[in-house]
Amino acid sequence: MCRGIQHPLRGLFLRSYLSQISRDKLPDIGSEYEGDAESINDAVEFVLQNFIEMNKLWVRMQHQGPVREKEKRGKERNELRDLVGKNLHVLSQIEGVDLDMYKETVLPRILEQVVNCKDDLAQFYLMDCIIQVFPDEYHLQTLETLLSAFPQLQPSVDIKTVLSQLMDRLSNYAASSPEVLSEFLQVEAFAKFSNAIGKVIEAQPDMPVVGAVTLYVSLLTFTLRVHPDRLDYVDQVLGACVKKLSGKAKLEDSRATKQIVALLSAPLEKYSNIVTALELSNYPRVMDYLDNATTKVMAVVIIQSIMKNTTCISTSDKIEALFDLIKGLIKDMDGAQDDELDEEDFKEEQNSVARLIHMLYNDDHEEMLKILCTVQKHILLGGPKRLTFTVPSLVFSALKLVRRLQGQDGDVTGEDVPATPKKIFQILHQTIEALSCVPSPELALRLYLQCAEAANDCDLEPVAYEFFTQAFILYEEEIADSKAQITAIHLIIGTLQRMNIFGVENRDTLTHKTTGYSAKLLKKPDQCRAVYACSHLFWTDDQDGIMDGERVLLCLKRALRIANAAQQMANATRGSSRSVTLFIEILNKYLYFFEKGIPQITNTVIQDLIELIRSEKQSDNTVADPSTEAFFSSTLRYIEFQKQKGGSIGEKYEQIKTSS
């Protein structure tokens, strides 16, 4: 009956019925119909013959009926495919089909039918069936035979999916036990897969780029799971991908781009160490085919990998290679449009680069200096927009090296000089100077002051003085905003107060400049606060510190005069003066220096100031302010508290009366 019925659909169901009823009657090992080896051959031949005939009937369905119903027939065939596939399942269940029989008879016969049917639906489904129903061990031992069929399939067959499933299945098999890995090496699985993929791509010249790249992603995933120690294999896969992409411009197909990102991300995820990826010569060559936006995305992925795994990159060569990979974030790419740039994204990207700079480290001072020079070279080419993010990181990274080198110094001559603080300060000076093209004077001023403090700790007076000079030039010529001036002058005062390296002449020049700037601030209250802050420049507690009581008193008196002028100005313009907060702040400064034992500040001076504040508060023109009242009360309570302490402190405060 099976031979007699030629109608594809009826014949398919009849043969399916035959397969079903004969399934438990095959002469197999362990069955009631068990016979000799010949009878097992008969069973296999019977099932294979039925499979071949069913496949022919199934394929014939596509070519019967009008053309307009072709799509409908395709759907029907798709629903009936399991009828054909069940034969392969039956074959896989026959106990007598050992590896030799599978290799010699079963697989070649099935593949012959698959290739010869020249039907894309049948070829895709049956190749998938072979991979799913037969054991992993059989696939591994017959890899060459199985892979040889792929290039012969129709160009429209989705080969990448089937091949990917095969590699995925075998990589899971490799992970199941260490003993299995030796089998993979014996059969040279990687070489066979690599060769097969090359032949498939060659046989299908019209295959879209995304298909080829997807195959390489699967091969790379397979390689990383089966041979993670073979970096040469990984690089070979990347090289094959570069070869496929050669001659093409940057990828514009978003799906292909996505696959390239997957290809580049796989080694990062596997090795958790960017240093390993930097050893792959083809890695940057693959990245070159990404468009500008994706190059940035990939650069962020690389930096995130470094952060996540706290990878320390410790040689200038590797940093050169790394910066080549993340060049999308370091500098403007050719053809990039500024107006396409999202401000928030840009900030986030540059902050990630800044964080990366802190991850670059080497215990060897010479190598660390080379690292700093490499980073400097790259970031100074990044354009003015990036400098405000990247320069501070480089400066503080260099200052860390300066701290490590403290006390080591020598004359700096020639190019190949040893790492010395002087040499690093020269690099720092050039780097901060680059901020002038941004321009970002406030940031540059802060960095100059940080460097001045480091130079102070290294006992390099000329260097510290030069950094201060640069800070003052910026203050004079670039910082015009009054709020920025206030912040800057307090930073200058704070830094100068900590400096102990300057000789009398240099220190006098700098303090004179600082007090002069303080008195020239726009608003009187700001002037007052800056001037009384300058008092700290003339009295420091350090060993060999400056102790000039006369000039401390001079600063405080000057601050009082400015505070008085501020009160009178407010009275004249508003009809009522503001609160007396400035006087109370100055009183607190007097108390601070009084405790330090400055002879010029006596309890009489403090008493007079308390009385002045009281009289100002009672003035008709003063606006009552609860916070000022609390501030004054708190200051008086502090005086009382010091009295109760007794001893020398109590004696000093005894003469000061706090009650009215």
Side-chain angles (χ1 to χ4, degrees), residues 124 128 131-132 150 157-168 211 214-215 218:
F124 176 77
D128 188 43
I131 291 164
Q132 300 302 334
F150 281 95
V157 176
D158 184 8
I159 294 176
K160 65 180 186 299
T161 303
V162 186
L163 256 177
S164 299
Q165 285 175 349
L166 176 59
M167 285 187 270
D168 196 41
T214 305
L215 282 173
S218 300

Side-chain angles (χ1 to χ4, degrees), residues 251-271:
L251 293 174
E252 290 177 2
D253 178 0
S254 59
R255 292 176 307 149
T257 302
K258 199 173 177 184
Q259 288 301 320
I260 289 280
V261 170
L263 187 78
L264 293 168
S265 301
L268 297 181
E269 288 166 16
K270 177 66 184 176
Y271 297 118

Side-chain angles (χ1 to χ4, degrees), residues 519 524-525 527-528 531 557-567:
K524 290 289 180 190
Q527 279 182 28
C528 176
V531 168
K557 281 183 175 176
R558 193 174 184 185
L560 266 175
R561 281 201 304 276
I562 297 168
N564 202 36
Q567 286 283 59

Side-chain angles (χ1 to χ4, degrees), residues 107-119:
L107 184 62
R109 292 278 300 278
I110 296 172
L111 290 178
E112 182 188 5
Q113 177 59 28
V114 172
V115 171
N116 289 340
C117 75
K118 297 194 184 313
D119 178 83

Side-chain angles (χ1 to χ4, degrees), residues 294-516:
T294 317
T295 303
K296 283 186 178 183
V297 171
M298 200 59 229
V300 171
V301 169
I302 289 169
I303 293 176
Q304 283 171 346
S305 165
I306 294 170
M307 296 299 159
K308 182 182 169 189
N309 302 299
T310 56
T311 311
C312 180
I313 300 159
S314 54
T315 68
S316 54
D317 297 344
K318 289 214 167 55
I319 288 157
E320 193 75 56
L322 172 64
F323 274 44
D324 189 44
L325 288 184
I326 62 167
K327 62 187 172 205
L329 301 183
I330 302 289
K331 61 182 180 182
D332 293 329
M333 303 298 284
D334 295 336
Q337 296 294 315
D338 280 354
D339 50 3
E340 290 174 10
L341 214 58
D342 181 271
E343 200 59 39
E344 285 301 313
D345 288 350
F346 180 75
K347 282 182 182 175
E348 187 52 49
E349 288 165 5
Q350 295 312 306
N351 282 329
S352 65
V353 175
R355 285 194 287 272
L356 171 69
I357 292 170
H358 288 297
M359 303 293 289
L360 313 175
Y361 180 81
N362 196 311
D363 282 327
D364 180 66
H365 300 154
E366 304 298 323
E367 190 59 41
M368 188 65 203
L369 181 59
K370 283 184 192 170
I371 288 172
L372 293 173
C373 291
T374 305
V375 175
Q376 184 203 32
K377 178 183 77 178
H378 283 281
I379 68 168
L380 292 187
L381 295 172
K385 289 189 308 227
R386 293 176 172 80
L387 291 178
T388 51
F389 297 92
T390 50
V391 164
S393 286
L394 176 58
V395 168
F396 283 101
S397 197
L399 288 176
K400 275 187 204 167
L401 179 58
V402 169
R403 302 289 182 195
R404 279 158 55 193
L405 289 166
Q406 247 167 262
Q408 299 179 29
D409 203 9
D411 293 327
V412 179
T413 51
E415 280 296 314
D416 297 327
V417 294
T420 62
K422 268 187 189 172
K423 174 74 177 169
I424 298 162
F425 283 128
Q426 285 176 3
I427 295 168
L428 284 168
H429 199 286
Q430 294 165 8
T431 310
I432 301 169
E433 217 169 15
L435 286 172
S436 61
C437 68
V438 178
S440 183
E442 291 97 333
L443 176 60
L445 183 134
R446 285 169 181 269
L447 295 175
Y448 278 135
L449 293 177
Q450 287 285 351
C451 294
E453 200 172 338
N456 175 74
D457 295 343
C458 292
D459 219 19
L460 295 170
E461 183 181 2
V463 177
Y465 189 81
E466 175 57 26
F467 280 122
F468 254 103
T469 306
Q470 293 300 324
F472 280 133
I473 290 168
L474 280 176
Y475 182 85
E476 281 180 11
E477 296 178 1
E478 303 287 341
I479 301 177
D481 178 69
S482 58
K483 282 187 178 175
Q485 284 184 336
I486 294 160
T487 307
I489 202 68
H490 282 283
L491 282 169
I492 289 170
I493 294 166
T495 309
L496 187 54
Q497 192 264 339
R498 290 194 293 275
M499 307 293 270
N500 55 19
I501 189 176
F502 293 128
V504 176
E505 192 178 327
N506 281 346
R507 189 171 185 91
D508 275 355
T509 306
L510 295 174
T511 50
H512 179 71
K513 272 278 186 194
T514 309
T515 49

